[in-house]
Amino acid sequence: RGTYDMINILWYVPTKAEAWLAYEVPSWASKAKVKEILDVGELDFVKFRIAGIPRSAKIRNILLIILPRLFIWVNTARFGVMFLMETAGIEDTIVNVTALTYILDLDDLVFMTFSHE
């Protein structure tokens, strides 16, 4: 699921490189007056927004992250299925299917653990 989400992000986020930060002061009063009325600091005027990802960064992500992940996943699945086909007993097959599922989902589990707030 993590690789699929990353592909969607790269596909749908615009390619135009834009700033990720914006400094927005309300237009209804001067900056000093707004700070006094709302009791805010200078950093409260800084806004984060989603902006475009340059084409070179998208290509780098595809080459260095997505393609290796897909290669590892496809080969693990292929060799795992070959390994399962050679398992004799039903009990061993169930245990090996569980192990293969864990191995195939391990990279997404690690990614979600370290990227979640």
Side-chain angles (χ1 to χ4, degrees), residues 2-84:
T3 305
Y4 177 75
D5 291 339
M6 188 167 190
I7 292 170
N8 275 337
I9 288 172
L10 291 176
W11 182 260
Y12 288 110
V13 172
T15 304
K16 183 180 175 187
E18 299 172 327
W20 289 74
L21 296 172
Y23 186 77
E24 300 173 359
V25 180
S27 59
W28 51 270
S30 67
K31 183 169 64 168
K33 184 95 170 160
V34 171
K35 287 167 92 175
E36 180 184 322
I37 293 172
L38 298 179
D39 191 32
V40 294
E42 198 71 31
L43 288 179
D44 292 317
F45 296 123
V46 177
K47 305 292 181 203
F48 293 97
R49 62 188 174 106
I50 296 177
I53 300 173
R55 188 178 316 272
S56 61
K58 286 185 176 186
I59 292 171
R60 238 185 347 259
N61 281 323
I62 290 170
L63 293 176
L64 298 176
I65 297 172
I66 292 175
L67 289 180
R69 283 182 74 168
L70 288 176
F71 176 77
I72 291 170
W73 191 89
V74 166
N75 282 322
T76 304
R78 186 176 72 188
F79 292 121
V81 168
M82 287 176 20
F83 174 71
L84 289 175

